[in-house]
Amino acid sequence: MTIEAEPERDRLRPRISQTGETGRLDLAMPPPEVTLPALQPGRSRSPFAVAMAGFGILALTVFAIDLVQFVDGAFAHGTGLGVATVVAVAAACGGAVYWLMAELRGLWRLRSTERLRSLIPSALSSELKNEVNAAAIVLGRDPLLGVAVGRYRAILEPHHSGRDTLELFSRFVLAPADRLAEAAIRRAAAQAFAINAISPTALLDTLLFAARALRLVREIAEVYGQRPGLAGTVHLIRRLAGGAGLVGAVDLAGGLLVQQLGGAVVERLSAGAAESTYAAQKMARLGIIAMALCRPVEFGPGEAPSLRRLVTGLLRPHVAENQVCPDQTSSSRSSGE
Amino acid sequence: MRALYNPPTLTALMRNRTVRLAVTGLSQSGKTAFITSLVHNLLGAVGRPGRLPFLRATAERRILAARLLASARDVLPQFPLKSTIAALAADPPQWPSSTTDLRRARLLLRFSPRGLLGRGNPIGRALGSVAELTIEILDYPGEWLLDLPLLRQSYADWSHTTIGLARHGVRHPLARDWLDYLARHPADGAADSETARRAHDLYQTFLSACRAQEQLSLLQPGRFLNPGHMPDASVLWFCPLAFPVGGRPRSGSLAALMEARFETYKRTVVEPFFALLARDVDRQIVLIDILRTLNAGEAAFADQRLTIDAILAAFRFGRRSLLRRLFGARIDRVLFAATKADHVPAVQRDHLEALIANLVEAPTLRARQAHAQVAATALASIRCTQDGTDVIDNRKVDVVIGLPEGGERRIRFFPGIVPVLPPPSGFWGERFTAFPVFQPPRISDAAGDGIPHINLDKVLDFLLEDALA
């Protein structure tokens, strides 16, 4: 509403000024970038995070002092024992640091996704472009999505607005990622069907189903570039539980409870095949919810996969994978099974 | 060529189609540039789909081939794509000169449909999986559009309206000579061909001055400003005369002579043009150079709005259906585009889009009531600038940077604040008429790299998405 807010005398009039540059503009399309620019998150720290960091430093210091004393004690028993202890401690510390880094990386990716989603409704064009760019960098590290991200970056031009960038990202990167996620859901649904069909007890069925569901959530998170570690998985499950208002999650929890406590009743009420189909359907619904939670951009109208499409596609999961990146036929995603 | 000799596949039978696109726009609104960019970019869409990322068919790499169609049987000359591109690619480049007559561009796209009939589906592969879309676009002088509202007007009505306009506002000082002449030669005076000719010349001078000095748009008849190829120029020798309201010209009077020529003009010139323009049109894009009139002042802005409403009233909108095709074609998708979007920085393009949407509210409503799809966008068919910043009055502002026509050094251009609503009276300040004309960027005359643009792909996706689905 610029016109009412700014009186005519204060409004800037059209103006032309000279630059030192000469020659026609060259607006040829740039080649796709090979090296991706570094991210600049630039976020403020919360008091809780600062306090936790302080406690963490304290705990680390105490732990380090203990270690030094432990190593010192080992050296007191002999040089050989001391050296062996140092090597063992170094290996343990290295492993711990590696694990910690992986966890932090996974958590950072999750936060990055969540930040993008929260920004979309109100972000300025430049902010949105930065966040989408960050999400593209994360997804570009996936071997199967690398080509899709490369294409997206090749067509992106400076004049594209934040919304344009988001739409292109959705079309060129997220649509292929969705197909990968759908393929993962189909695999999981097929396995849930099999587990339910062959499981001798309801308890075992429940445990296997829960384990497979957990892996599906992690697979989907990975598809969207999140690669959650332990902390990331806990965070995801928490969000999934938080989103239990979503009918599917409630249904899932209810279904698990019924299987756990009232297996006999269920057995009487439904035939085995029907129950297996129901299990596959539950797995698919869980997968759709996980997709909705992990996707960096919320589904637009008509974009979310329907249960029917997923279940009917159970017989052709390989098609979905091949469609992800037609140019990259040799690579394939490790299913981890 | 193989398709000419082989029997058509089932996919081709089901999906082959011709889309007739009406490119509607006043003079200097960028029709020729739009057609050039559209055709050139679609021709390059197979090799360089990245130029049109928002056009789904190219993004999904479903366009398999594109070529220009030339038909010796076509009564209209072919759109001069090669020479236009060569002029744009030359050093120094040249913008296409104003269109002076009718021309037609016909483009054939071979594409793979989506879904069942597509290449990704076994059924589609069995049925052929390739369809063809022919796009027909007519190029013509924008001034001619101004004649369309005349079809619904009598000579008396037109005279009354035109003289009323000429006696008020910014038109009045420019119309003085013509109005004085009319005062000396009343409408009910004896018919005299020389008097009519002289009155016509003065009226034509008045129209030219309105356009050049005040950048007005509602300047009828359009052929007075751009006659095109006219076998008999005498058909133009008329002008409006001052009539009493509801009066009829006396037989043998000057007014009767003028009225006869007016009706002949409508019958022999305007009606055939409109028939050609509106016949079997499926899609319409209305190009409006809103920035120029926004800076030219309140009168120019209001006049442009009035003109667009009057022109669009001549077109029929409605959902496409078999019955409607049998009993008269309807336009089922209409897109209003504010051209020269590269003259405003990115942050203001949303304003431009909102302003155009608000400006065309009335025709939009009419089209929607007829169940046509309508959209509005900001468009630069050929992008000549890049975004930058400048400091004006100690304020950092976004500007566009480009090389002005005839200049050697690039300039920063701040176009003022583009309002999102049609501006109220308090908005208008000093007029700014030195609107820069930027040189086009470096363009390759081979179809490969295409032409840089802003939102051309969105425009194409809106207009052709269903035909390429």
Side-chain angles (χ1 to χ4, degrees), chain B residues 89-396:
Chain B
D91 206 7
Q94 283 188 327
W95 283 104
S97 52
S98 286
T99 309
T100 54
D101 225 324
L102 286 164
R103 303 179 296 200
R104 182 151 38 208
R106 294 175 75 225
L107 181 70
L108 180 81
L109 299 180
R110 298 187 80 217
F111 68 99
S112 171
R114 290 172 99 176
L116 268 183
L117 296 175
R119 283 184 302 175
N121 194 292
I123 299 172
R125 285 195 293 274
L127 297 180
S129 76
V130 176
E132 290 181 350
L133 172 68
T134 306
I135 306 167
E136 282 189 11
I137 312 165
L138 197 66
D139 189 26
Y140 55 87
E143 292 90 346
W144 296 6
L145 275 178
L146 299 163
D147 289 347
L148 301 188
L150 298 182
L151 291 173
R152 295 178 170 192
Q153 285 183 301
S154 69
Y155 177 68
D157 289 342
W158 176 62
S159 288
H160 182 69
T161 310
T162 309
I163 289 189
L165 280 173
R167 283 181 174 152
H168 295 98
V170 293
R171 280 180 165 87
H172 192 227
L174 303 174
R176 196 156 287 142
D177 289 349
W178 170 58
L179 290 175
D180 287 348
Y181 187 80
L182 292 191
R184 292 197 301 275
H185 299 84
D188 57 354
D192 173 40
S193 195
E194 198 49 46
T195 307
R197 174 77 190 270
R198 176 72 185 137
H200 159 81
D201 289 347
L202 285 169
Y203 179 65
Q204 192 180 36
T205 307
F206 157 65
L207 292 183
S208 302
C210 284
R211 183 163 73 172
Q213 293 176 35
E214 298 295 335
Q215 311 208 16
L216 299 180
S217 307
L218 192 56
L219 306 171
Q220 297 166 310
R223 300 253 181 177
F224 282 24
L225 294 170
N226 193 338
H229 173 68
M230 295 280 289
D232 177 15
S234 68
V235 80
L236 298 178
W237 294 345
F238 66 93
C239 74
L241 291 178
F243 263 99
V245 178
R248 291 282 308 155
R250 182 177 56 79
S251 176
S253 65
L254 181 63
L257 175 68
M258 294 285 201
E259 184 182 41
R261 285 181 177 170
F262 176 79
E263 293 300 334
T264 308
Y265 176 75
K266 275 168 58 176
R267 196 177 59 252
T268 60
V269 178
V270 185
E271 281 177 11
F273 168 64
F274 183 60
L276 193 67
L277 184 67
R279 187 172 51 209
D280 299 338
V281 167
D282 310 280
R283 307 285 148 91
Q284 183 174 36
I285 178 166
V286 184
L287 303 173
I288 305 170
D289 183 2
I290 211 168
L291 288 172
R292 183 180 54 82
T293 50
L294 199 61
N295 286 291
E298 189 171 10
F301 191 78
D303 206 59
Q304 186 185 51
R305 195 175 183 182
L306 195 65
T307 311
I308 289 161
D309 284 353
I311 290 169
L312 291 177
F315 288 91
R316 286 187 302 175
F317 304 116
R319 202 161 30 201
R320 189 168 173 262
S321 70
L322 185 60
L323 273 179
R324 285 203 163 124
R325 293 197 77 76
L326 288 174
F327 295 106
R330 298 239 179 183
I331 297 164
D332 58 358
R333 289 189 188 212
V334 191
L335 187 116
F336 297 99
T339 55
K340 299 176 187 166
D342 57 339
H343 285 51
V344 295
V347 289
Q348 289 213 63
R349 273 176 219 136
D350 289 345
H351 287 214
L352 194 61
E353 203 165 292
L355 178 62
I356 186 77
N358 280 309
L359 266 182
V360 295
E361 213 171 1
T364 298
L365 196 62
R366 195 166 62 84
R368 287 211 170 117
Q369 278 172 346
H371 304 290
Q373 291 186 44
V374 190
T377 190
L379 167 75
S381 306
I382 301 176
R383 182 160 57 94
C384 308
T385 64
Q386 56 193 17
D387 288 1
T389 54
D390 197 5
V391 176
I392 299 177
D393 298 345
N394 296 321
R395 284 197 248 180
K396 190 179 174 192

Side-chain angles (χ1 to χ4, degrees), chain A residues 238-321:
Chain A
R238 214 177 61 206
R239 277 177 62 199
L240 201 64
L246 295 164
V247 182
V250 173
D251 187 25
L252 173 78
L256 289 176
L257 207 63
V258 167
Q259 280 185 318
Q260 177 68 25
L261 303 176
V265 179
V266 173
E267 278 167 25
R268 253 181 265 142
L269 286 177
S270 62
E275 196 183 338
S276 298
T277 306
Y278 179 56
Q281 191 199 36
K282 272 189 306 192
M283 186 66 82
R285 292 180 78 172
L286 175 76
I288 292 172
I289 295 166
M291 275 179 81
L293 285 174
C294 297
R295 209 171 183 266
V297 179
E298 282 179 31
F299 284 117
E303 277 183 347
S306 67
L307 203 59
R308 188 179 166 192
R309 198 176 89 203
L310 283 172
V311 174
T312 53
L314 271 174
L315 297 175
R316 49 181 176 87
H318 62 286
V319 174
E321 289 218 13

